[in-house]
Amino acid sequence: MNGRFARAGSRLEMVGVLGALALLAGGSASARSFDVAVFYTERSARTPAYKYWVKEIEKRTEGRVKFRSFYAGSLLKVNETFKAVRSGAVPIGTTSAAAVSGQIPALSYIEAMAGMPNTVAGFLEAAKPLHAAMDKLFRERGLRLLFTQPSFGTVVVCRDKFMKTPADWKGAKVRGAGRWQVQQLIALGAGAVALDPAEQYLGLQQGTIDCALSVNWLALSLKLHEVAPKITELRVPVNISLYIANAKAWNKVSKADQKIVDQVSWEATRMSAGLLEKSMAKSQAAMIKQGATIYT
């Protein structure tokens, strides 16, 4: 690749070329390999359930369905995923309700703080009917919903104060993940800012933002507590992660193997809920050990 080519296209155009090549190289009618754009790091609390999903699908389909993972937004940023997967530039990607609610307004309900149950049992009770409703919305847009992961235990990480009362939010510049979290922050009197997850550390370090909404495992993974050591536990959930596939690419998988994927996806959703609930206390302890202070 020469310098002129590298300068010629946008990030998404280059991803489109790579995605098209990946689809062409997908194998015979009986074997498919898919690139997956993953927005979180490989050390994230979300990763064990995702890796289980990848390995079990390959095992149970006897290698007919395989995945190649690109972690930490190395292939796509979370806010680019919906468009790229819908266009077929990348066959599968991880995104969130917050990143997609602009295109599918109904997802605003599960983007917002307190939009879902904050317990494993409550989440799993809601997850199956919710999956069916969301998959219908994605199918209408040329996509398939493969599986979801919850986000228990919302926190707000701040540079120099806790958010103990509504008055503490007034005038603070707070990062929200999407448009409806931003509306909640505005209702509290905050100056709300929407930033990509990868931009939060620098924003907090430089004072572009005072605080950021997050969850324990993600705050720890992104090391936000290093630059925003005052952490307030809000005791509500926020957002959910979505694993979506381009429908045309996914339809090349046999119906029998799609059923296997559906089964493993539910197993991964159940596993993820339990692991993420346990990760809250572990993430808290790790951040405290590294200098953070937590108010609940």
Side-chain angles (χ1 to χ4, degrees):
M1 180 184 292
N2 61 40
R4 287 179 297 171
F5 181 85
R7 290 191 297 270
S10 69
R11 177 188 176 96
L12 280 179
E13 286 170 340
M14 286 188 285
V15 166
V17 172
L18 293 171
L21 291 173
L23 290 177
L24 288 172
S28 67
S30 60
R32 297 288 166 186
S33 180
F34 298 97
D35 286 351
V36 185
V38 183
F39 73 82
Y40 48 81
T41 68
E42 193 168 1
R43 297 176 62 186
S44 163
R46 290 205 186 283
T47 305
Y50 168 72
K51 284 189 172 181
Y52 171 85
W53 184 78
V54 168
K55 290 179 180 179
E56 280 297 308
I57 289 172
E58 182 173 345
K59 175 183 174 182
R60 296 188 203 181
T61 63
E62 299 179 338
R64 293 186 300 274
V65 181
K66 297 182 179 181
F67 305 99
R68 186 168 63 155
S69 306
F70 295 83
Y71 292 97
S74 59
L75 188 58
L76 287 173
K77 291 184 177 180
V78 65
N79 291 325
E80 297 172 338
T81 301
F82 179 87
K83 181 179 179 180
V85 175
R86 188 178 187 183
S87 71
V90 174
I92 298 176
T94 60
T95 186
S96 69
V100 178
S101 62
Q103 290 78 29
I104 307 179
L107 297 186
S108 61
Y109 289 105
I110 52 176
E111 169 202 326
M113 291 182 281
M116 288 287 289
N118 201 39
T119 64
V120 171
F123 171 78
L124 292 177
E125 183 180 2
K128 277 196 172 180
L130 180 65
H131 182 98
M134 288 194 296
D135 189 40
K136 181 177 183 296
L137 293 171
F138 280 110
R139 284 174 186 254
E140 292 169 356
R141 292 159 175 84
L143 296 159
R144 289 292 309 276
L145 178 63
L146 302 180
F147 82 103
T148 60
Q149 290 185 292
S151 292
F152 300 128
T154 308
V155 297
V156 54
V157 299
C158 293
R159 286 159 52 90
D160 54 18
K161 70 174 181 178
F162 296 110
M163 296 302 201
K164 296 183 177 182
T165 70
D168 294 323
W169 296 81
K170 295 189 183 301
K173 294 174 291 185
V174 186
R175 178 265 179 185
R179 60 167 55 188
W180 299 107
Q181 289 178 34
V182 164
Q183 290 302 314
Q184 288 180 302
L185 295 173
I186 290 172
L188 284 164
V193 182
L195 286 177
D196 186 86
E199 299 170 357
Q200 293 176 89
Y201 187 99
L202 188 60
L204 289 163
Q205 186 180 51
Q206 295 183 341
T208 305
I209 53 176
D210 303 311
C211 306
L213 284 180
S214 190
V215 289
N216 282 292
W217 66 265
L218 185 56
L220 176 63
S221 176
L222 296 174
K223 301 182 179 180
L224 301 185
H225 59 290
E226 293 181 352
V227 288
K230 303 291 186 181
I231 301 175
T232 306
E233 288 280 347
L234 300 181
R235 295 193 297 166
V236 296
V238 67
N239 218 346
I240 61 173
S241 290
L242 310 167
Y243 295 70
I244 57 176
N246 177 274
K248 289 182 179 178
W250 195 243
N251 285 340
K252 294 176 182 178
V253 175
S254 71
K255 296 295 183 183
D257 284 343
Q258 287 185 20
K259 288 183 178 179
I260 291 173
V261 172
D262 289 342
Q263 180 180 351
V264 178
S265 293
W266 177 241
E267 292 171 10
T269 296
R270 289 177 59 89
M271 174 187 289
S272 175
L275 291 175
L276 288 169
E277 184 182 57
K278 291 177 182 176
S279 78
M280 286 193 292
K282 292 180 180 178
S283 299
Q284 284 180 354
M287 289 189 288
I288 290 171
K289 187 176 180 179
Q290 295 171 26
T293 307
I294 295 178
Y295 172 83
T296 301

